[in-house]
Amino acid sequence: MSTLATSRPTQRDAYDLILEAIDVGVYKPGSRLVESELAERFGVSRTPIREALQRLETQSLLTRDGRSLIVASLDHNQMAELYVVRTQLEGLAARLAAQHSSVEEVNLLQQMVEVDRGHVLDAAALARSNKRFHKQLHLASHNRFLVQQLDLVYRSMALLATTSLAVEGRGPIALDEHQSIVTAISDRDGIAAYEAVKQHLSQAFVTRLKHDAEGQSY
Amino acid sequence: MSTLATSRPTQRDAYDLILEAIDVGVYKPGSRLVESELAERFGVSRTPIREALQRLETQSLLTRDGRSLIVASLDHNQMAELYVVRTQLEGLAARLAAQHSSVEEVNLLQQMVEVDRGHVLDAAALARSNKRFHKQLHLASHNRFLVQQLDLVYRSMALLATTSLAVEGRGPIALDEHQSIVTAISDRDGIAAYEAVKQHLSQAFVTRLKHDAEGQSY
DNA sequence: GGAGCCAATAATGTCGACACTCGCTACATC
DNA sequence: GATGTAGCGAGTGTCGACATTATTGGCTCC
């Protein structure tokens, strides 16, 4: 009997299950999602499946092709557009965090950076803790709408298969950039925090573009 | 929020019907929404109602109170938070519009301002065309994610009963501010466009706060 | 008289079945 | 050989019924 809450899902709903299936890559961008198939896979009826699909569609993770739903995909332009929006929102989060975060929240961010220095070799672990770091940054803004909008952005990014952290040598640099963000917030310097985030995401974007370009076949 | 302008009442789906009911004020913030009641009101079964409610919930227009759904409401803090996010996103839209909009799009924005000068006395008409103006501004950014995020913001604003345009004397001033935005975009001056939007929304927020304060009873 | 418990009720969550639509294939016709 | 057409099947949209769970109101007991 599994007792580790993190490993075995206790009664997760259809929404989480489908989202994870997309994350893991069972359904890739462009795949068609058939209600009855999902229902059978997860051992429930079509009703909860349909509701989960509705939610995923309103979040733009799924899109309609005729009458059926397929996993949305991001072409180059859309990815660029997404980064622009993400930068604007996450920059705002950093600025607000510099103004509104508690000392404890800043400490937590600082600790996260330091702990991560021990994981620079494990790309998967780094990707996970990177997500946590950014999420914590969002929360530190103390703005619920912003957190919500950034959640949406991050969910869309799940459609992008790889994380830029997997690229050789990106990990340590990204951590330095995280440190700059935390330092600016700790100094209560909103402008610097904004700029640090902008710089960080710009670098991440460049890394991704470079990585994608190398994968091109023509 | 009528998406189908001037159309006949063709078979709108449950989502639109509920949204309109909220807009019109049949269900006010805090009201409890009962599935069977909505189903009867609109003459459909609970299934489509449930799916509509799911969508509205994921868009944060509805919120859970225990197991049931109620129309979300925005307290003072949330309204302030919403304005911050809106300003950041709409400022970005203006900046991008200055960079990417076509001449035709700018012309359209300019026309909208001029036409609206004829409606300054009709608060309801002004509110409608104000929404259209801002929507057009969003589209001029040529960034689909941004448009989508701003759609969300505007839908949340539907929870705020009044529009600041209804306040005495706000109409003409708001139009001047719109003109400033259009001029900056026309000049391809992204910074100025950003600042003009920031100014515009700041004024709108002040107006709303003043209006709300006057409505207080203590 | 108040607190706690239990039953009745109302509302949500889930299900299987049916209706309808659209795309596909196979056949026939020109 | 190409094109139109009729039938078929897969898949979605909708429904009513049943299961499950919160809530409320009344009742008992302290």
Side-chain angles (χ1 to χ4, degrees):
Chain A
M1 174 167 312
S2 84
T3 49
L4 291 177
T6 52
S7 62
R8 199 65 191 102
T10 54
Q11 198 69 358
R12 292 154 25 113
D13 64 2
Y15 175 83
D16 291 324
L17 289 169
I18 297 173
L19 194 55
E20 179 172 321
I22 293 174
D23 245 338
V24 170
V26 178
Y27 298 104
K28 293 185 176 29
S31 301
R32 183 158 169 225
L33 294 183
V34 177
E35 293 174 2
S36 51
E37 185 188 321
L38 290 163
E40 192 176 359
R41 173 189 293 267
F42 299 132
V44 295
S45 84
R46 278 177 52 222
T47 308
I49 297 290
R50 281 179 65 80
E51 296 183 346
L53 292 177
Q54 290 266 352
R55 284 177 65 182
L56 290 165
E57 187 191 355
T58 63
Q59 294 177 339
S60 298
L61 271 95
L62 304 180
T63 186
R64 288 205 174 272
D65 171 37
R67 210 159 54 144
S68 59
L69 286 169
I70 61 176
V71 180
S73 59
L74 298 180
D75 61 26
H76 184 88
N77 283 336
Q78 286 174 305
M79 186 174 74
E81 292 172 7
L82 184 57
Y83 259 92
V84 172
V85 174
R86 181 188 170 192
T87 300
Q88 188 82 353
L89 286 175
E90 202 146 357
L92 174 62
R95 208 188 77 210
L96 294 177
Q99 294 171 18
H100 303 312
S101 63
S102 69
V103 175
E104 290 79 7
E105 286 171 316
V106 179
N107 284 344
L108 174 54
L109 285 170
Q110 181 62 52
Q111 284 172 31
M112 290 173 109
V113 173
E114 283 157 17
V115 169
D116 283 356
R117 296 226 180 260
H119 301 156
V120 279
L121 297 178
D122 183 349
L126 213 53
R128 275 196 303 276
S129 70
N130 181 58
K131 268 202 193 112
R132 278 201 296 271
F133 175 83
H134 282 273
K135 176 78 182 196
Q136 185 58 39
L137 174 62
H138 305 164
L139 290 172
S141 75
H142 288 222
N143 183 314
R144 278 156 287 187
F145 282 96
L146 185 52
V147 170
Q148 187 188 324
Q149 301 262 5
L150 279 166
D151 271 351
L152 261 182
V153 170
Y154 272 71
R155 226 160 274 153
S156 284
M157 291 202 315
L159 298 171
L160 302 171
T162 61
T163 163
S164 63
L165 288 170
V167 173
E168 186 67 30
R170 173 69 185 144
I173 298 177
L175 279 181
D176 287 345
E177 291 165 6
H178 281 189
Q179 180 61 64
S180 301
I181 297 169
V182 175
T183 301
I185 292 173
S186 176
D187 291 346
R188 303 299 174 187
D189 185 340
I191 310 279
Y194 180 92
E195 289 299 328
V197 162
K198 209 171 135 187
Q199 174 68 13
H200 176 49
L201 296 184
S202 175
Q203 287 303 318
F205 191 23
V206 167
T207 303
R208 176 181 295 284
L209 289 175
K210 198 186 302 178
H211 178 262
D212 288 357
E214 283 163 6
Q216 295 298 322
S217 51
Y218 65 95
Chain B
M1 190 178 303
S2 67
T3 45
L4 293 172
T6 69
S7 279
R8 64 257 162 247
T10 64
Q11 205 59 2
R12 288 139 50 94
D13 65 2
Y15 174 83
D16 291 323
L17 289 168
I18 297 173
L19 194 54
E20 179 172 323
I22 293 174
D23 247 341
V24 170
V26 178
Y27 298 104
K28 295 185 173 29
S31 302
R32 183 158 170 219
L33 294 182
V34 177
E35 294 175 2
S36 49
E37 186 189 322
L38 290 163
E40 191 177 0
R41 173 189 292 265
F42 299 131
V44 294
S45 84
R46 278 176 51 221
T47 308
I49 296 290
R50 280 180 66 80
E51 296 183 346
L53 293 177
Q54 289 266 350
R55 285 176 65 181
L56 291 165
E57 187 191 356
T58 64
Q59 295 177 339
S60 298
L61 270 96
L62 303 180
T63 187
R64 288 210 174 277
D65 171 37
R67 205 160 60 144
S68 60
L69 286 170
I70 61 175
V71 180
S73 59
L74 298 180
D75 61 25
H76 184 87
N77 283 334
Q78 286 174 304
M79 186 174 75
E81 292 172 9
L82 183 58
Y83 259 92
V84 172
V85 173
R86 181 187 171 193
T87 300
Q88 188 81 352
L89 286 175
E90 202 145 359
L92 175 62
R95 209 188 75 210
L96 294 176
Q99 294 171 18
H100 300 137
S101 64
S102 68
V103 175
E104 291 78 7
E105 285 172 317
V106 179
N107 283 344
L108 175 53
L109 286 170
Q110 181 62 52
Q111 284 172 30
M112 290 173 108
V113 173
E114 283 158 16
V115 168
D116 283 356
R117 296 227 181 260
H119 301 156
V120 279
L121 295 178
D122 184 349
L126 214 53
R128 275 195 304 276
S129 69
N130 181 59
K131 267 198 194 125
R132 279 200 296 271
F133 175 84
H134 282 272
K135 176 80 182 195
Q136 185 58 37
L137 174 63
H138 305 164
L139 291 172
S141 74
H142 289 221
N143 184 312
R144 278 156 287 186
F145 280 96
L146 184 53
V147 171
Q148 187 188 324
Q149 300 260 348
L150 279 165
D151 270 351
L152 261 182
V153 169
Y154 272 71
R155 224 159 276 152
S156 284
M157 291 201 315
L159 298 172
L160 302 170
T162 61
T163 163
S164 62
L165 288 169
V167 173
E168 185 67 30
R170 172 71 185 142
I173 298 177
L175 279 180
D176 288 344
E177 291 164 5
H178 282 188
Q179 181 61 63
S180 301
I181 296 169
V182 175
T183 301
I185 292 172
S186 176
D187 291 346
R188 304 297 174 187
D189 185 340
I191 310 279
Y194 180 92
E195 289 299 329
V197 162
K198 210 172 132 186
Q199 175 67 15
H200 175 49
L201 295 185
S202 175
Q203 286 303 319
F205 190 24
V206 168
T207 303
R208 175 181 296 284
L209 289 175
K210 198 187 301 178
H211 178 263
D212 287 358
E214 282 164 6
Q216 295 298 322
S217 52
Y218 63 98

